[in-house]
Amino acid sequence: MFLDLVRFELSYQMRQTLVQVATLAFFVLGFFLGFSLYGGPDVYANAPFSIAYGMVLLSLSSFFGLALFTANTVLRDRTFGMEPLIHTTSVGFFPFLAGRLVGLVTIVALVSALAVVGMALGSLLPPMGGRELGPFRPAAYLIGYVAIALPNILIGLSLLFCIAALSRGQIAVYVGGIGLFMAYVFAGVMTNSPIMAQSKPLSADETSWAALLDPFAVFPLFDQVRFWDLTAKNTQLIVLEGDLLANRLLWMTLALMLCCLAFRFFRFREGALAGTSARVVTAPSAAVKADGFGPVAPVKPDFGRGFAWQALRSKVGLEMRLMLRGVPLVVLSLLCLFMFAMVLSEEMGRGDMGVPFQARAALIVAELQEPFRFIGPLVLVFFVCEWCWLAREHRIDAVIDSTAVPAVVLWAARWLGAACLISYLVTLAVVVGLGYQLVRGAGLGDALVYLRLYSLVGFPLWFFAGWVIALQNFVSNKYLGMLAGGGLLLVGRGLRQLLAIHNPALDVLFFPNIFYSEMSGGGYALTADVWLMALHLGAACLVAVPTLLYLRRGAKRKAFGANRAAAWLGATGAILTLTALLMVFYQTQIEAPFPGPAEREQWAADYERNYRHLATVPQPAYRRGKVTVDLYPERRAGIVKGEYSFVNPGSEPLREITLSAIPFCGTVPQVQVERAVRKTYDARFGVQTFVLDEPLAPGAEGFLNFTMKLQFSGYGPVDGEFYILPGASYLELSKYLPNFGYAAQVALGGNAARRRQGLPPKEAWPERATESARPWFAMELIASVPDDQRVLSLGRLAREWEADGRRYSHFVQDQISDHWFALAAGHYAHQASEVDGVAVSVWYHPDHEANVATMAAATRDALTYYRERWGDYPYDQLRIVEIPGFSRRFGATSYATTIFAVESRLFVLDQRDPEQFDMVYRTISHEVGHQWWGGLLDPAPAAGARLLTEGLCEYAEAAVFAQKYPWSQQQRLLDESTARYFYMRGYDAKAEPSLARMGAQIHLAYFKGAHAMHLLAELLGRDQVDQRLAAFFAQYRFPAQPHADDLLAVLLDGLEDPVRRRLEEVFSEVVTYDLQLPRAEREAGTSQVRVSLQTVVSRAGEVDPLTPLTLEWRALDADGKPLGAVQQAVVKPGWEEVLWTVPRAAVALEIDPRRLYLEPDRSDNRRLIVVP
Amino acid sequence: MLSITNLCKTYPNGVRALDGVTLDIGTGIFGLLGPNGAGKSSLMRTIAALQEPDQGTILWEGADIVRYPHLVREILGYLPQDFGVYPRISAEALLDHLAVLKGVRDKKARRRQIDALLERTNLTQHRRHAVAQFSGGMRQRFGIAQALLGEPRLMIVDEPTAGLDPEERNRFHNLLGEIAADITILLSTHIVEDVQNLCGKAAVLAGGRILTEGRPDHLVAQLKGRVWRRTVESGSLATWRERVTVLSDRLEAGRRTIRVLADSSPGAGFEGCDAALEDAYFAALQTQGTEVGACS
Ligand SMILES: Nc1ncnc2c1ncn2[C@@H]1O[C@H](COP(=O)(O)OP(=O)(O)OP(=O)(O)O)[C@@H](O)[C@H]1O
Ligand SMILES: [Mg+2]
């Protein structure tokens, strides 16, 4: 009996078009996923780890299909009105339901297995983005399927099955499906899994919780590979053990329980939860009255003006009541509210180092947009399709379709319904946003910013709804239509990627960048977004035309009555699309041409091929520059003029000079060199060569001038280093002006891109750079903006005046160690003070005062410390200038006398809680440090240079910070830095160099750098270090060009082992440790504790079994406070048991409390003392 | 005036539901008789512009309503054979909505008409109940009420009395009779008696074709003196069928009686009897050669 049921179920399913199409769709999906597998930079596209992650994505995408399958399987009796027939047969409910479930599971397992086959095939193609392909390993797919995909799918399935069986409502199942996606978002946000924006390392406790609670095993997966190096990531198979195994077991048990729940409460009775119970009203026949009424007076219908509108209102009203009522919508709303609240409290409440952001709408809207990317299209596809089928499913379509209501009303009612649903969801988000602001004690003065959510989330979703409605009209099965709606997104994106069209604005569903800067008073794209949205609206109108002409009405397709509306829509759509296309074309190709990513890559590669040789050709250097900049922020335009003098710093006369200017927005600056003729001019690369009338003798001076136009359009990705916006602008100008020789900074960075372009891997920095004489650069800048704004740049403000409604500022800066300057413009308030003759000022947006005092204090403290200890600060200015959040890729950047600090990274941090880590203070100290390290002392462009800049600034910030904050605060930063170092090195393709030989690696310069500087300070003491740094600074300040070895020579001078050894190790070698204290047992009745120690030392990847190490340890009391002094012990690598004498009150032991060893996992360094 | 010429419709699955239907329907009630699957509903759906014919024309007062379906929609009241309703929506609210869709835009007039219709269909006391919870007959009455909304000049009612109790059926007949004076009503049914009572004209449809058409009394008159009946042994039915044109057979008080069509007495034991419309119906089916099963 049961087997018959299963057999029937299977053969029934196999014959369903939905199942057949879905099978195909899943195969294609798998293929596409396989083609775009990604496990991180330089990880093989088909590395087991990438595959495992692909499985997560596969299972995630499958939930959509699962919801359809489940609804189709469990609810089909209801949909087709078969319930009374089925439920009165002799089949017991158990075999009935079990038959359905087994059938469902079998189908789903088969279909997903097929998707995995698709994935395997897809991953055989040359992967996207020039990623490398490892050997094909079927085992990796099998393990991924069994350990990740299948369990995930079963979890989703059991939940949906349970919902379907108990509620027997379609909408409930969809809401369940949406809930699954939300669970993924929750899990991502809660566990900070690396796929979500940024990953914040968790503590050991948090890690094991997160690993268990993540229903889709993303976290345990990433946790398993966390410390794998690149080779391991590329070759090692994922193992079903430890946290991953526990996670899978836990969730499979839960899945089973859900199924049991379904069986326990499922009954053959009319709909349980859906509220559609058919309590039949029967007519009491006694009440029947005899006839005798007057005739029913006909009422003349009026199909004139306004009829369509009235009908539309009535229809939308009725359908809203039908759809947006009932338990599922309440559940959906609650889920959304919960999700929004969760996202906000996590993303706004815990930024870098756990410091919260101020609850400002400008930041909140960006966080709220994120969940809509997942949930928005899903909700739309489900609900809009349900809408389109509403009348047909309730079999009232014949009645409605035979009325005189115009087709356009039937169509518009759906589109308007979608609008209502979207507005409702966005409003939920806004309510959560406002609530969050209130809870955090922020005002609601900026509530208008939430309108951006309606426009930049609501409209795109609404345009997409137009496509969904069109699809539903032409697909003859609701679930197929849903599948098609979901498929449209994937296929659209897939096609775009296959065709290498990189512009995401061409996706069917395109969300503009919503990020809002209070400084600029708007977003980045401005009118660009308006035009792109007009384009999408136009497209939505155009797809509405065939929908209207062939609107399904009864069994009829062609609706003649709709012609006028269709013509109207077609015309609107065509006009909108065309105008928008023309506008976009004009603005991106003619007014301010900007290359797409592919063009940009090609450009950079060609530039490198053509001009690489310039790097070694002697060139002059700028000595003096006078730059005028006129900004027209409303037009996003500007004009830059420059008059420069240059010298020949070399020892040979120069005949020919070459200038490169990155052609920004297509304008190559017009350069004139005095007493020289232009020999070549390459407009594509902005490279021009001049032959001097007379060779420029060593030390001799020449002159040039240029004019350059700036025009920004707002299309394409945000360039955080160069933008003009109506409210605020930031220009790292010197980079874009004509510079001598080869512009190395534009060379392609990523290895994948270089391979794609057939370029050799980027050359490592040379061991030693050849000395070249360098002059100081002296700058004068005269900048003008409309008089409600002001410009801020480097140096002394010599003069300021207003003329013709514009404000002019004249800055003078005599000594910069390079041709290196930037400027910002905006509406500023400022606070000024003086520190020993240096004018310290902070310029900020009038509404961003909260952290200004901290910044001023940090500047003062840092300036005082560095001047006292290392050497004098030669300028009379030090200013901090706020720049818009569009530059948030960096927190702050330091130029001579001026530090530009980013709005959203520092100014709007919420540092009111004194327990919080003082991010503002710390960052500003770091940037002030750059006035010395990187500014006044400018290292040779060779390997290890960043040790002298970022490395020493890590020391600088820690030194100032330690004066003000206790060890516990510093320790938090150290632990975080270490965690990031270990995380990032796992993705580094090259063999890791030592600090003294590092290139541009962030994880070395900042994160290992922080540890190295900490060790230095702990071993030598800050006074010692400062004295040595002072000596180093004095000897090597500009124009000298020191190397890392020069610093090490000074730092290690005269030091003895073991201190010397440890410092050499941290600076000149690659050594990591793993210290463990697995056991501590008190010897009965004594103060001795028997301790087991496990230590692993790895030097350049090899385990060192020999060299003993000096380990510090200390005892802790019941509150975790240190008891007594730190003790030392010398231990051999490997396993060792020792006896330590501890105070009587000691409850626990900790090894290496001062963090002198660099190790990935410190959670096992503490152990409670066991008392036998 | 609805004139249908040579209407053909073949469904995608190959069933030829309408096969050259030609009909002229004026004001008054036009009855459409036919066995299950005859194509009655197909014809009605086609007229109601819910599906397109493959061939043929339908003119309403001279205008081509296949090409311009809105013309028929604006004057149509349609009761489908089988229909559902939105859940959780009361009779009153749903009627109000449908009235708007039918162009009854003035709120007061709408109110008044809905009240009257609810009254006439005896649903006033259930006006606030969800239609989805109505009994089958009540739902059918609701369907009738909605078909009458506005000012229909063409009413298409597909088996309107199915499921109605006798009292309600009478009530409905009265209602139809009242309004039939000025408008065209196309009614399909299996109940020959209804056609007799109500319809000014009727047609018999089978296998997608019109077999006969005319005023019910004329149809009956054509058979005058040609219908004979006798009682037979139950087992001999098959033999009789071979020998004579059996119109119908029925069990009356335990004995089987057959009615036979013949120009003269078909033999001993037969007695002549008055022709009824039912005989005309079966006679029409016979001419088409359709296999006719036992009837009620
Ligand atoms: N949508 C359809 N697709 C395919 N065949 C159909 C469809 N609707 C009806 N048919 C077929 O067309 C023929 C005529 O059906 P129709 O519903 O018009 O008959 P009817 O006269 O109304 O019968 P009844 O008295 O049972 O209501 C039948 O054979 C039926 O199977
Ligand atoms: Mg029918």
Side-chain angles (χ1 to χ4, degrees):
Chain A
M1 176 71 185
F2 174 69
L3 278 183
D4 287 341
L5 280 175
V6 173
R7 206 171 305 129
F8 171 79
E9 185 65 27
L10 283 180
S11 71
Y12 171 82
Q13 294 278 5
M14 295 293 192
R15 276 185 279 113
Q16 291 276 298
T17 331
L18 172 72
V19 174
Q20 290 163 357
V21 173
T23 310
L24 185 73
F26 269 76
F27 182 78
V28 173
L29 175 78
F31 188 83
F32 181 67
L33 279 173
F35 168 62
S36 52
L37 284 176
Y38 182 72
D42 291 306
V43 178
Y44 289 157
N46 64 346
F49 164 64
S50 319
I51 291 171
Y53 185 54
M55 295 288 171
V56 172
L57 295 181
L58 176 70
S59 50
L60 202 64
S61 344
S62 72
F63 292 152
F64 176 71
L66 279 189
L68 302 189
F69 270 19
T70 315
N72 188 35
T73 309
V74 183
L75 302 177
R76 67 166 187 259
D77 304 331
R78 157 157 297 231
T79 317
F80 299 131
M82 289 271 287
E83 236 166 15
L85 301 188
I86 301 268
H87 294 181
T88 49
T89 57
S90 63
V91 183
F93 87 89
F94 185 86
F96 169 78
L97 203 57
R100 291 277 163 100
L101 180 61
V102 170
L104 191 58
V105 169
T106 316
I107 294 274
V108 165
L110 283 178
V111 170
S112 54
L114 203 65
V116 171
V117 173
M119 189 190 268
L121 289 177
S123 65
L124 292 177
L125 288 185
M128 287 193 314
R131 288 195 284 278
E132 260 180 280
L133 216 52
F136 177 68
R137 299 176 65 185
Y141 295 91
L142 196 65
I143 290 177
Y145 179 62
V146 172
I148 311 269
L150 195 57
N152 282 0
I153 290 175
L154 290 181
I155 291 159
L157 190 65
S158 56
L159 178 73
L160 293 175
F161 180 76
C162 183
I163 293 176
L166 297 188
S167 77
R168 286 196 257 153
Q170 320 239 14
I171 308 260
V173 177
Y174 306 148
V175 169
I178 294 166
L180 281 172
F181 273 85
M182 289 190 185
Y184 175 74
V185 178
F186 290 155
V189 170
M190 291 308 291
T191 58
N192 298 309
S193 70
I195 31 169
M196 309 302 280
Q198 80 227 94
S199 68
K200 296 166 230 165
L202 303 180
S203 76
D205 270 0
E206 287 173 316
T207 304
S208 41
W209 272 113
L212 264 189
L213 292 185
D214 179 349
F216 308 125
V218 183
F219 192 82
L221 177 65
F222 275 84
D223 202 45
Q224 187 170 97
V225 302
R226 187 191 231 134
F227 300 121
W228 287 7
D229 63 14
L230 201 59
T231 327
K233 284 199 182 90
N234 276 338
T235 54
Q236 222 151 294
L237 288 174
I238 300 297
V239 212
L240 194 53
E241 61 171 30
D243 281 348
L244 187 60
L245 182 64
N247 172 296
R248 303 286 71 185
L249 288 179
L250 172 73
W251 285 97
M252 289 316 296
T253 316
L254 272 175
L256 213 62
M257 279 162 61
L258 278 174
C259 290
C260 293
L261 207 68
F263 280 97
R264 170 73 183 74
F265 291 104
F266 179 80
R267 286 292 173 272
F268 278 162
R269 62 184 150 75
E270 292 292 314
L273 297 174
T276 48
S277 77
R279 186 171 50 86
V280 171
V281 179
T282 36
S285 53
V288 175
K289 294 178 221 138
D291 269 359
F293 308 104
V296 177
V299 180
K300 188 138 196 66
D302 169 11
F303 300 113
R305 235 175 193 308
F307 165 59
W309 181 235
Q310 197 177 355
L312 181 63
R313 271 205 332 254
S314 174
K315 193 150 172 57
V316 173
L318 187 89
E319 295 189 346
M320 294 309 283
R321 268 198 288 164
L322 280 172
M323 297 286 297
L324 304 185
R325 205 160 68 168
V327 182
L329 194 85
V330 174
V331 174
L332 177 69
S333 308
L334 289 177
L335 277 175
C336 284
L337 288 175
F338 182 60
M339 178 182 63
F340 294 136
M342 199 67 135
V343 165
L344 281 192
S345 77
E346 279 300 309
E347 300 296 331
M348 296 291 300
R350 297 204 318 181
D352 253 4
M353 290 298 295
V355 179
F357 292 97
Q358 292 172 17
R360 289 175 180 264
L363 301 178
I364 290 176
V365 287
E367 299 302 343
L368 287 178
Q369 187 189 38
E370 218 35 49
F372 274 102
R373 288 177 193 277
F374 286 85
I375 305 308
L378 211 62
V379 173
L380 268 190
V381 168
F382 284 144
F383 276 79
V384 169
C385 292
E386 219 28 65
W387 236 301
C388 293
W389 284 82
L390 197 61
R392 255 179 291 171
E393 295 219 316
H394 290 109
R395 292 183 297 122
I396 196 174
D397 52 333
V399 172
I400 288 178
D401 290 343
S402 63
T403 63
V405 55
V408 63
V409 170
L410 297 178
W411 166 82
R414 293 168 196 165
W415 213 22
L416 276 187
C420 294
L421 179 65
I422 295 167
S423 321
Y424 173 69
L425 290 181
V426 172
T427 305
L428 283 185
V430 171
V431 167
V432 173
L434 291 170
Y436 183 74
Q437 286 187 290
L438 286 179
V439 169
R440 288 276 306 274
L444 299 182
D446 51 358
L448 279 183
V449 175
Y450 288 107
L451 287 181
R452 288 177 77 75
L453 270 180
Y454 289 96
S455 60
L456 300 187
V457 170
F459 280 122
L461 283 174
W462 192 52
F463 303 152
F464 174 63
W467 289 83
V468 175
I469 292 169
L471 278 178
Q472 273 298 347
N473 190 53
F474 291 105
V475 177
S476 57
N477 171 306
K478 180 174 75 177
Y479 297 119
L480 270 182
M482 290 184 179
L483 206 61
L488 184 67
L489 284 180
L490 285 182
V491 170
R493 180 162 316 173
L495 271 183
R496 184 168 67 75
Q497 283 181 0
L498 276 179
L499 298 178
I501 302 169
H502 289 281
N503 193 347
L506 295 180
D507 277 337
V508 179
L509 178 56
F510 154 69
F511 288 109
N513 182 355
I514 199 171
F515 188 83
Y516 179 89
S517 157
E518 289 179 349
M519 273 200 82
S520 81
Y524 179 80
L526 302 177
T527 50
D529 277 347
V530 176
W531 287 116
L532 288 175
M533 297 233 285
L535 186 64
H536 280 262
L537 176 59
C541 287
L542 285 181
V543 292
V545 173
T547 317
L548 264 184
L549 285 180
Y550 292 93
L551 193 78
R552 188 197 299 271
R553 189 164 185 168
K556 259 175 100 81
R557 268 289 168 68
K558 201 151 161 48
F560 286 93
N563 281 349
R564 247 205 7 241
W568 201 84
L569 265 171
T572 318
I575 291 174
L576 268 175
T577 316
L578 272 179
T579 324
L581 271 179
L582 279 177
M583 235 15 234
V584 173
F585 181 82
Y586 172 73
Q587 289 175 343
T588 57
Q589 303 299 322
I590 295 168
E591 187 188 38
F594 92 94
E599 276 176 85
R600 205 174 274 251
E601 181 185 306
Q602 190 63 45
W603 183 93
D606 290 345
Y607 176 73
E608 184 173 340
R609 275 190 277 266
N610 290 343
Y611 293 106
R612 179 84 190 82
H613 65 274
L614 284 178
T616 51
V617 177
Q619 296 289 346
Y622 283 136
R623 152 85 56 82
R624 201 174 294 283
K626 183 173 176 185
V627 181
T628 33
V629 180
D630 297 305
L631 297 184
Y632 303 94
E634 290 302 329
R635 286 195 285 117
R636 306 185 72 170
I639 295 177
V640 183
K641 293 187 179 131
E643 291 168 28
Y644 276 75
S645 78
F646 52 87
V647 292
N648 177 358
S651 48
E652 299 289 324
L654 288 174
R655 298 201 146 271
E656 215 176 87
I657 62 177
T658 306
L659 286 155
S660 299
I662 302 164
F664 184 80
C665 303
T667 57
V668 176
Q670 295 304 313
V671 184
Q672 274 156 355
V673 181
E674 274 183 28
R675 292 193 286 143
V677 280
R678 191 159 78 181
K679 184 173 134 197
T680 63
Y681 174 75
D682 184 341
R684 181 169 174 222
F685 298 109
V687 177
Q688 1 197 346
T689 318
F690 292 86
V691 178
L692 298 166
D693 295 347
E694 277 166 33
L696 194 65
E701 204 169 22
F703 299 91
L704 62 81
N705 62 67
F706 57 83
T707 311
M708 183 172 158
K709 284 207 190 87
L710 303 178
Q711 177 67 57
F712 295 83
S713 67
Y715 292 94
V718 175
D719 181 352
E721 300 176 351
F722 207 50
Y723 51 86
I724 302 177
L725 284 166
S729 310
Y730 175 63
L731 299 166
E732 296 191 348
L733 192 56
S734 56
K735 286 186 198 168
Y736 293 88
L737 297 181
N739 279 299
F740 289 111
Y742 177 63
Q745 80 272 15
V746 302
L748 275 184
N751 282 337
R754 295 186 67 86
R755 266 197 301 276
R756 204 158 45 223
Q757 290 293 341
L759 292 169
K762 205 161 185 185
E763 280 166 44
W765 288 11
E767 284 277 308
R768 287 200 77 81
T770 41
E771 291 272 323
S772 61
R774 300 184 299 176
W776 284 108
F777 175 67
M779 183 199 82
E780 262 185 88
L781 178 84
I782 300 167
S784 77
V785 277
D787 59 6
D788 59 331
Q789 295 194 19
R790 71 161 63 246
V791 167
L792 289 162
S793 185
L794 283 56
R796 183 163 47 85
L797 181 61
R799 196 159 92 85
E800 195 175 53
W801 70 97
E802 288 184 21
D804 306 332
R806 295 181 68 79
R807 187 202 300 271
Y808 290 80
S809 313
H810 184 171
F811 289 91
V812 179
Q813 171 66 23
D814 295 331
Q815 292 188 338
I816 313 178
S817 55
D818 202 349
H819 176 234
W820 196 242
F821 67 93
L823 59 101
H827 310 272
Y828 285 105
H830 89 295
Q831 280 184 16
S833 59
E834 204 197 273
V835 179
D836 271 339
V838 177
V840 170
S841 54
V842 183
W843 297 80
Y844 56 95
H845 181 263
D847 200 20
H848 293 169
E849 202 179 326
N851 299 326
V852 168
T854 313
M855 293 186 181
T859 315
R860 187 185 58 235
D861 295 352
L863 196 57
T864 312
Y865 185 105
Y866 305 156
R867 281 168 102 182
E868 275 174 11
R869 310 259 180 148
W870 304 335
D872 197 34
Y873 180 72
Y875 313 123
D876 56 1
Q877 299 282 332
L878 184 52
R879 70 171 72 85
I880 294 174
V881 177
E882 183 178 4
I883 57 174
F886 305 114
S887 305
R888 64 196 157 148
R889 293 236 333 250
F890 55 89
T893 178
S894 190
Y895 288 79
T897 74
T898 302
I899 293 163
F900 295 97
V902 179
E903 174 183 35
S904 57
R905 294 283 299 269
L906 291 171
F907 283 83
V908 296
L909 288 184
D910 183 356
Q911 301 256 225
R912 286 174 302 177
D913 179 1
E915 294 297 301
Q916 283 290 0
F917 183 80
D918 197 341
M919 197 72 194
V920 172
Y921 190 87
R922 182 105 190 185
T923 310
I924 295 296
S925 314
H926 179 102
E927 297 303 325
V928 174
H930 277 307
Q931 296 296 324
W932 278 259
W933 314 118
L936 297 168
L937 179 137
D938 191 14
R946 297 197 97 191
L947 180 61
L948 309 193
T949 56
E950 299 307 341
L952 287 178
C953 284
E954 286 295 315
Y955 173 80
E957 60 166 287
V960 179
F961 194 78
Q963 287 187 320
K964 187 161 175 203
Y965 289 101
W967 161 242
S968 59
Q969 294 271 24
Q970 304 171 49
Q971 174 199 316
R972 276 167 63 187
L973 185 73
L974 267 180
D975 289 350
E976 166 111 13
S977 299
T978 308
R980 289 191 182 192
Y981 163 69
F982 280 104
Y983 176 73
M984 288 176 72
R985 82 198 289 254
Y987 285 96
D988 197 356
K990 295 189 215 75
E992 182 174 326
S994 69
L995 288 182
R997 292 288 175 272
M998 70 175 144
Q1001 298 94 331
I1002 290 176
H1003 61 289
L1004 296 183
Y1006 293 89
F1007 303 139
K1008 187 181 175 188
H1011 169 78
M1013 293 302 159
H1014 166 70
L1015 185 67
L1016 185 68
E1018 290 295 321
L1019 294 186
L1020 298 188
R1022 290 212 184 275
D1023 290 340
Q1024 263 284 330
V1025 178
D1026 285 333
Q1027 278 169 27
R1028 287 167 187 260
L1029 286 181
F1032 175 66
F1033 182 67
Q1035 188 180 348
Y1036 289 103
R1037 60 185 295 176
F1038 189 86
Q1041 290 179 293
H1043 288 81
D1045 288 345
D1046 301 324
L1047 172 69
L1048 293 186
V1050 176
L1051 286 181
L1052 303 185
D1053 181 39
L1055 292 182
E1056 303 279 332
D1057 282 346
V1059 170
R1060 186 184 183 89
R1061 184 70 210 104
R1062 291 254 28 231
L1063 290 178
E1064 279 174 354
E1065 192 183 277
V1066 81
F1067 284 112
S1068 309
E1069 293 168 30
V1070 180
V1071 183
T1072 59
Y1073 294 83
D1074 187 9
L1075 313 180
Q1076 283 179 43
L1077 200 164
R1079 208 161 57 90
E1081 202 176 299
R1082 191 180 282 276
E1083 299 279 285
T1086 69
S1087 57
Q1088 297 222 302
V1089 172
R1090 182 166 299 279
V1091 176
S1092 310
L1093 290 170
Q1094 168 85 37
T1095 51
V1096 180
V1097 186
S1098 107
R1099 295 179 194 278
E1102 304 285 327
V1103 173
D1104 170 3
L1106 296 174
T1107 324
L1109 55 151
T1110 310
L1111 203 58
E1112 291 184 344
W1113 63 273
R1114 71 179 172 196
L1116 304 171
D1117 68 9
D1119 302 327
K1121 299 247 163 52
L1123 265 183
V1126 171
Q1127 313 276 328
Q1128 284 195 339
V1130 177
V1131 297
K1132 292 195 309 288
W1135 179 269
E1136 188 162 26
E1137 238 181 44
V1138 289
L1139 267 183
W1140 287 344
T1141 310
V1142 302
R1144 289 237 163 241
V1147 170
L1149 291 180
E1150 182 183 8
I1151 50 176
D1152 191 26
R1154 286 204 289 159
R1155 283 137 172 85
L1156 301 183
Y1157 291 99
L1158 189 57
E1159 56 169 331
D1161 185 5
R1162 285 193 55 88
S1163 61
D1164 49 16
N1165 287 21
R1166 245 174 216 246
R1167 187 66 52 192
L1168 286 177
I1169 300 170
V1170 183
V1171 183
Chain B
M1 175 77 171
L2 185 69
S3 40
I4 300 166
T5 325
N6 192 26
L7 205 63
C8 297
K9 171 79 188 175
T10 307
Y11 286 109
N13 61 359
V15 174
R16 194 164 177 82
L18 295 178
D19 190 1
V21 173
T22 302
L23 275 179
D24 279 323
I25 305 173
T27 48
I29 305 180
F30 190 100
L32 207 52
L33 271 170
N36 289 147
K40 302 180 296 290
S41 301
S42 298
L43 177 62
M44 293 179 139
R45 278 205 305 273
T46 312
I47 300 172
L50 290 171
Q51 62 193 24
E52 271 173 282
D54 307 326
Q55 240 187 62
T57 54
I58 311 175
L59 302 182
W60 171 255
E61 289 172 354
D64 180 352
I65 57 173
V66 173
R67 179 126 184 77
Y68 303 106
H70 64 276
L71 293 180
V72 68
R73 286 181 188 138
E74 285 177 0
I75 47 106
L76 182 68
Y78 176 52
L79 171 66
Q81 178 174 12
D82 174 41
F83 70 97
V85 290
Y86 293 129
R88 298 192 299 260
I89 302 282
S90 71
E92 201 175 34
L94 196 52
L95 279 178
D96 186 74
H97 172 63
L98 292 171
V100 173
L101 298 190
K102 290 183 175 207
V104 184
R105 292 168 60 189
D106 178 57
K107 205 174 168 114
K108 272 206 207 100
R110 203 157 70 222
R111 184 75 295 156
R112 236 178 295 121
Q113 196 185 29
I114 291 172
D115 284 347
L117 282 171
L118 285 169
E119 198 77 24
R120 291 304 302 260
T121 49
N122 198 18
L123 288 172
T124 307
Q125 52 190 328
H126 306 298
R127 56 195 302 158
R128 297 200 202 289
H129 288 142
V131 192
Q133 300 173 354
F134 278 7
S135 74
M138 288 162 72
R139 188 181 305 188
Q140 191 71 6
R141 270 142 59 198
F142 171 84
I144 294 165
Q146 68 74 29
L148 287 165
L149 282 168
E151 188 188 24
R153 295 202 293 118
L154 170 64
M155 276 196 59
I156 298 179
V157 283
D158 199 348
E159 295 186 30
T161 52
L164 294 193
D165 64 32
E167 193 167 358
E168 291 297 341
R169 201 170 118 207
N170 275 338
R171 189 193 284 275
F172 172 65
H173 286 170
N174 291 344
L175 187 57
L176 272 194
E178 254 170 50
I179 57 177
D182 316 314
I183 70 174
T184 305
I185 299 178
L186 182 60
L187 173 140
S188 82
T189 179
H190 304 120
I191 308 175
V192 182
E193 192 189 324
D194 283 0
V195 176
Q196 184 125 43
N197 294 343
L198 281 171
C199 302
K201 253 184 115 181
V204 176
L205 189 68
R209 286 178 211 218
I210 301 288
L211 301 183
T212 176
E213 182 201 345
R215 285 177 46 174
D217 47 349
H218 288 180
L219 295 180
V220 175
Q222 284 167 12
L223 296 187
K224 199 168 165 64
R226 296 169 60 206
V227 181
W228 311 82
R229 73 171 199 187
R230 71 163 288 180
T231 51
V232 297
E233 293 292 308
S234 278
S236 61
L237 200 57
T239 350
W240 281 110
R241 281 193 194 285
E242 277 167 28
R243 285 175 45 193
V244 291
T245 318
V246 177
L247 288 177
S248 60
D249 68 300
R250 76 182 51 172
L251 231 40
E252 264 170 13
R255 293 182 326 170
R256 191 165 289 274
T257 312
I258 56 172
R259 291 169 81 90
V260 170
L261 181 68
D263 290 339
S264 55
S265 173
F270 283 96
E271 53 176 317
C273 60
D274 288 343
L277 187 57
E278 199 180 68
D279 297 317
Y281 170 65
F282 286 125
L285 294 184
Q286 286 289 352
T287 56
Q288 198 236 5
T290 313
E291 192 56 29
V292 180
C295 189
S296 54

